[in-house]
Amino acid sequence: MPTKSEHQHRPEPRAQLSRRSLLKAGGITLGSVSLLSLIQACGGEAGEDGEGNLTLSMPFLQDMQVPDPDIMYEGEGVQVMHACYDGLVTYKSGTPEIIPQLADSWTVSDDQLTYTFKLKPDVTFHDGTPADAEAWVKSFERRAAVEQGPAYMVTGIEKAEAKDATTLVVKLKKPNNAFLHYAACPWKMLVTSPTAVAKNAVKDDLAQTWLKTHDAGTGPYVMKEFVPGSHYVLERFDGYWGEQPYFKTIRIKITPEIATQKLQLDQGAFHLVSHGFAIADVLSYRKNKKFSVATNLGASMMSLYMNPDAGMFKDKSLRQAMMSAIERATAVETSFKGLTTVQENFWPENMFPKGLAPFDPKVDLGPLTKKVARLSNKKIDFAWVSSNGAPAQQMAELIQTQLAPIGLEITIRAMPSAEWFDLCNQPADKRPDLLLATMGGDALHLDTALRIFLRTGAKPLNAFQYGNPKVDALMDEAITKGTEDETNDIYLQITEIIADEALWVPLCRIPQNFVTHSDIGGVELDSYLPYIFNSAKIKRV
């Protein structure tokens, strides 16, 4: 990463695209798709005004967190937040490249302390007030004051100021080469109407109560209904600064059962299911011309964690023997049926350059066999995080099968995400011996993964509460470096420490399977969470 960088981009065109006219007669077809099937696919809500203003229908597996831009910090809800709000920058779909959103261009000072953003002019919030540089200053202040999960992204800001309506200057306390990644990631800083916050605040709550069911953003959609446990309705914002969305309405129905989601997708009640299908269903949809499937690898990596503070894996040499004991390729291929491949690098490749930290040990069960033979207690509690679905369960069972012949008595159990998140608060001997779970950061920059999974005292994803002052110091040093090579040299030092500690076995990056009816196009997926689509781009084809 250069000590000084400048990105200039042509501003987005402001002209609105004309909308399609709705077919008027029941017997008219569009290609091979009849009007009746179009209406059915939209849940009977197509053609509300005769101008092709259709409804896109989709499910969520569960209620999202409250849709507050400074609180929401989970996966599925990003779909709603990115439809209603915008950031300064974003990732180009399918890559870690940072591209403009509300910032047309930006520069970084030689000392990496000052970021100057040139904003798009004439952008307005849904309440009609200007989304200018001063609004960004207030938005940074609100995120810091609310002080929830994503607040760390702004704690390094010493001062943000509006030089004029379209010039935002951000000065950092210390250099941070991950700052633009904070601004691009799924949980990035989102500009929020200061007027709406002030108008709807109750005492000093910064409108947190109001923002549980409303939005205050600039995005292509406005939140019209937010009914927890039932549905959310987003309606097109006609004053949107960018290309007008094709769909007038996005309707999201809370549908906890994957089987129900599949049934409604097959019957046309849903246009798409963004993730969660069993591998067998994905492979079936791939063969069905009525559907399209996009399979992409995000930044999450499935890993086998070992408890370093209790039980048999407190022995570091035993953990090290586990690093080469598992036939990973077989387990990955069997569990995911070719939708992903065994991990060949210690970190996800879109987070750290491929080949710099290779992980490809020769499978050798011998060292582990010798150590297990000397154990008086060979029982292992093995938990797999249930939110990762059937492939994770099968992966756990295959690992159990591989290790059983050497005498390990492994008991497998499913662990809900909430229990996984609470492991950090439990005594070491109450945590499982083995844990099959994911690892990844908040952004396509290794800094966020390190801080979430390895930082001393980090919660909740540092499940076994690993702590190492040297690792903490190195991660703090890495983000101050002015070049990518210098930064990566420090990350390689961290990798050497963690690999020697043998805290986890990297298995594979997790494939996300986005299934739509074949007449849905314009699908542009998030680089980090490839089940989140750009709501301004999706359309009928």
Side-chain angles (χ1 to χ4, degrees):
M1 49 204 77
T3 55
K4 184 173 183 179
S5 60
E6 182 168 0
H7 303 259
Q8 298 289 346
H9 300 267
R10 184 174 299 173
E12 295 283 346
R14 298 187 179 278
Q16 297 181 6
L17 298 181
S18 60
R19 302 173 187 141
R20 298 185 180 185
S21 297
L22 183 67
L23 300 176
K24 297 181 180 179
I28 297 179
T29 60
L30 180 62
S32 61
V33 183
S34 70
L35 176 63
L36 177 60
S37 66
L38 286 175
I39 294 174
Q40 288 173 335
C42 293
E45 298 181 56
E48 294 176 358
D49 59 5
E51 294 183 3
N53 294 323
L54 307 177
T55 294
L56 180 73
S57 296
M58 63 176 290
F60 272 9
L61 280 167
Q62 58 189 2
D63 266 319
M64 62 180 283
Q65 278 179 296
V66 293
D68 185 313
D70 299 316
I71 295 177
M72 210 295 300
Y73 198 38
E74 43 98 302
E76 219 167 27
V78 170
Q79 187 64 64
V80 171
M81 304 312 294
H82 286 195
C84 295
Y85 293 87
D86 293 308
L88 288 166
V89 294
T90 191
Y91 288 123
K92 182 178 180 181
S93 182
T95 77
E97 179 186 350
I98 296 172
I99 61 174
Q101 196 165 46
L102 291 185
D104 272 333
S105 63
W106 56 92
T107 57
V108 183
S109 63
D110 289 338
D111 61 8
Q112 296 187 89
L113 290 172
T114 304
Y115 290 71
T116 302
F117 297 93
K118 292 300 295 183
L119 306 178
K120 293 183 183 298
D122 305 321
V123 175
T124 60
F125 289 107
H126 298 158
D127 62 9
T129 58
D132 54 15
E134 187 59 38
W136 272 106
V137 173
K138 296 293 184 184
S139 297
F140 290 153
E141 293 173 351
R142 184 181 188 274
R143 176 160 288 201
V146 170
E147 205 175 1
Q148 294 292 314
Y152 78 89
M153 298 179 186
V154 298
T155 55
I157 295 177
E158 181 177 277
K159 183 181 181 182
E161 58 182 331
K163 288 295 186 181
D164 55 50
T166 59
T167 307
L168 172 67
V169 179
V170 179
K171 296 183 179 179
L172 305 182
K173 299 172 186 175
K174 297 178 180 179
N176 185 346
N177 56 43
F179 181 70
L180 281 176
H181 286 270
Y182 296 170
C185 78
W187 303 277
K188 59 191 169 188
M189 298 82 83
L190 299 167
V191 69
T192 308
S193 168
T195 302
V197 169
K199 179 181 177 182
N200 296 288
V202 177
K203 295 183 179 180
D204 60 351
D205 82 338
L206 297 173
Q208 289 183 60
T209 301
W210 184 76
L211 283 169
K212 289 180 179 179
T213 54
H214 300 81
D215 83 87
T218 60
Y221 286 89
V222 177
M223 190 178 299
K224 299 300 291 184
E225 294 181 35
F226 192 90
V227 185
S230 176
H231 67 277
Y232 317 140
V233 177
L234 311 178
E235 188 172 282
R236 183 172 57 212
F237 175 46
D238 289 334
Y240 182 53
W241 55 269
E243 179 180 317
Q244 279 288 298
Y246 174 85
F247 290 99
K248 179 182 179 182
T249 306
I250 297 177
R251 184 177 181 87
I252 300 169
K253 184 179 179 182
I254 310 305
T255 312
E257 298 295 330
I258 284 290
T260 304
Q261 292 191 12
K262 183 180 186 307
L263 179 64
Q264 296 204 41
L265 179 70
D266 291 348
Q267 293 179 343
F270 291 147
H271 296 93
L272 62 89
V273 172
S274 62
H275 67 140
F277 278 142
I279 300 299
D281 289 331
V282 173
L283 297 177
S284 177
Y285 280 122
R286 282 186 163 193
K287 297 175 182 177
N288 191 331
K289 294 182 179 180
K290 295 180 180 179
F291 297 93
S292 296
V293 180
T295 299
N296 291 282
L297 303 177
S300 292
M301 180 174 71
M302 188 171 287
S303 302
L304 179 66
Y305 294 87
M306 293 169 275
N307 187 339
D309 297 316
M312 69 173 66
F313 293 110
K314 190 174 182 178
D315 181 345
K316 178 178 173 180
S317 66
L318 200 148
R319 297 198 307 271
Q320 290 175 329
M322 274 286 288
M323 299 294 282
S324 60
I326 298 169
E327 178 55 68
R328 298 180 306 131
T330 299
V332 169
E333 172 63 29
T334 304
S335 300
F336 287 98
K337 306 293 189 297
L339 296 181
T340 187
T341 56
V342 69
Q343 191 66 17
E344 296 180 351
N345 294 274
F346 198 80
W347 308 105
E349 290 82 357
N350 56 357
M351 193 177 290
F352 192 68
K354 181 179 180 180
L356 279 187
F359 182 79
D360 189 20
K362 181 180 179 181
V363 179
D364 185 0
L365 200 56
L368 184 64
T369 302
K370 292 178 182 178
K371 292 184 178 298
V372 169
R374 296 194 291 266
L375 295 174
S376 58
N377 182 2
K378 297 179 173 61
K379 293 183 178 180
I380 289 180
D381 174 26
F382 185 1
W384 60 278
V385 177
S386 57
S387 60
N388 292 315
Q393 179 178 2
Q394 187 169 20
M395 180 84 73
E397 291 170 350
L398 289 166
I399 292 172
Q400 177 191 40
T401 300
Q402 289 185 21
L403 298 179
I406 66 172
L408 290 174
E409 301 171 25
I410 302 175
T411 301
I412 294 178
R413 61 187 173 98
M415 176 177 285
S417 293
E419 187 178 344
W420 174 33
F421 292 163
D422 192 51
L423 287 179
C424 59
N425 300 314
Q426 302 301 316
D429 61 357
K430 298 297 183 182
R431 298 168 185 151
D433 300 302
L434 293 175
L435 175 68
L436 188 64
T438 56
M439 86 87 57
D442 282 350
L444 299 179
H445 190 294
L446 193 56
D447 174 71
T448 57
L450 298 178
R451 291 182 188 279
I452 291 170
F453 284 85
L454 294 172
R455 187 80 173 188
T456 301
K459 294 183 178 182
L461 293 180
N462 186 352
F464 294 103
Q465 285 298 281
Y466 174 80
N468 184 328
K470 184 175 181 180
V471 171
D472 292 345
L474 284 170
M475 68 176 77
D476 287 342
E477 182 184 356
I479 60 173
T480 69
K481 296 303 180 181
T483 70
E484 187 173 350
D485 287 344
E486 290 176 310
T487 302
N488 289 342
D489 283 344
I490 296 176
Y491 287 148
L492 288 174
Q493 294 178 51
I494 294 175
T495 304
E496 184 176 354
I497 293 170
I498 300 305
D500 179 68
E501 291 275 17
L503 300 178
W504 66 77
V505 181
L507 296 172
C508 64
R509 282 169 65 189
I510 299 175
Q512 300 293 346
N513 301 291
F514 189 91
V515 183
T516 70
H517 284 272
S518 59
D519 63 339
I520 296 295
V523 176
E524 190 175 285
L525 297 173
D526 183 83
S527 291
Y528 187 98
L529 296 174
Y531 55 85
I532 302 300
F533 61 89
N534 186 333
S535 58
K537 301 290 187 180
I538 197 165
K539 60 185 178 181
R540 288 200 179 282
V541 294

